[in-house]
Amino acid sequence: EISKLRQERGRERLSRIHALQLESLRKLYEQLDLVQGYSQLMTKRAVFEGEKPEEYPVLLGSALVAARREFVSARLLLPSQLTSLIEAFFQKVVETQVNFGVAQRMLVNGTERAQYWDKAGTISHQEMPALLTSIENAARAIIGSEGG
């Protein structure tokens, strides 16, 4: 009886941890997707009528803070492979912002400015989506498991 009770408590504990993982992954993925979207909006080449590109950095910053907060909260619940992917995603955000900032604010010639802009765009439109897909795949593996 004691052995059965311990096994049941072990399953309940794993179930609670899994539920926490699922909720954290849902919230984190939502924020990472917003970060990627705002980064892409900031680095696109065209601005459409009525669009307010000056708002994108503030929106990106808010989404980034929320994503970082959720990640710190969930970090110990997630497998190390997934945390490495998420850290790489955050690093790409920083790299994009550095290149974007140099292209926007630094006194460089047109060719250099275009190179920084292109690098920021490449990261936002190619590298970040690839990382987010890897994060999604790792998250789906956790979601599909039955207890962490």
Side-chain angles (χ1 to χ4, degrees):
E1 285 298 314
I2 292 174
S3 177
K4 286 182 184 180
L5 183 59
R6 283 184 182 154
Q7 287 177 350
E8 180 60 31
R9 285 193 181 182
R11 283 191 296 272
E12 288 173 5
R13 180 180 167 276
L14 288 176
S15 180
R16 283 191 309 271
I17 291 170
H18 189 65
L20 289 170
Q21 285 177 323
L22 298 181
E23 184 61 18
S24 294
L25 286 169
R26 185 191 64 76
K27 289 177 183 177
L28 180 59
Y29 185 83
E30 181 180 323
Q31 293 304 318
L32 293 176
D33 187 61
L34 285 174
V35 168
Q36 176 185 284
Y38 291 131
S39 184
Q40 288 176 341
L41 287 170
M42 286 174 58
T43 59
K44 67 182 185 158
R45 295 226 177 248
V47 176
F48 298 103
E49 188 175 333
E51 197 172 356
K52 297 179 182 176
E54 66 277 2
E55 293 178 1
Y56 298 144
V58 174
L59 294 169
L60 177 115
S62 295
L64 186 58
V65 166
R68 197 74 192 147
R69 186 178 301 123
E70 192 62 44
F71 178 58
V72 168
S73 175
R75 183 183 191 103
L76 294 177
L77 297 170
L78 302 175
S80 60
Q81 177 191 7
L82 180 55
T83 61
S84 294
L85 290 170
I86 295 166
E87 288 170 344
F89 183 90
F90 285 130
Q91 185 58 42
K92 289 297 177 184
V93 174
V94 170
E95 193 178 335
T96 299
Q97 293 308 296
V98 167
N99 281 284
F100 180 75
V102 170
Q104 291 288 68
R105 293 176 189 87
M106 300 300 283
L107 298 174
V108 294
N109 67 41
T111 303
E112 286 179 289
R113 180 173 281 128
Q115 289 173 343
Y116 283 109
W117 187 274
D118 288 345
K119 180 62 177 169
T122 297
I123 296 167
S124 290
H125 294 273
Q126 295 173 15
E127 295 176 28
M128 286 171 62
L131 269 171
L132 196 55
T133 297
S134 296
I135 291 167
E136 180 181 353
N137 290 337
R140 287 184 184 280
I142 292 169
I143 291 166
S145 72
E146 293 206 14

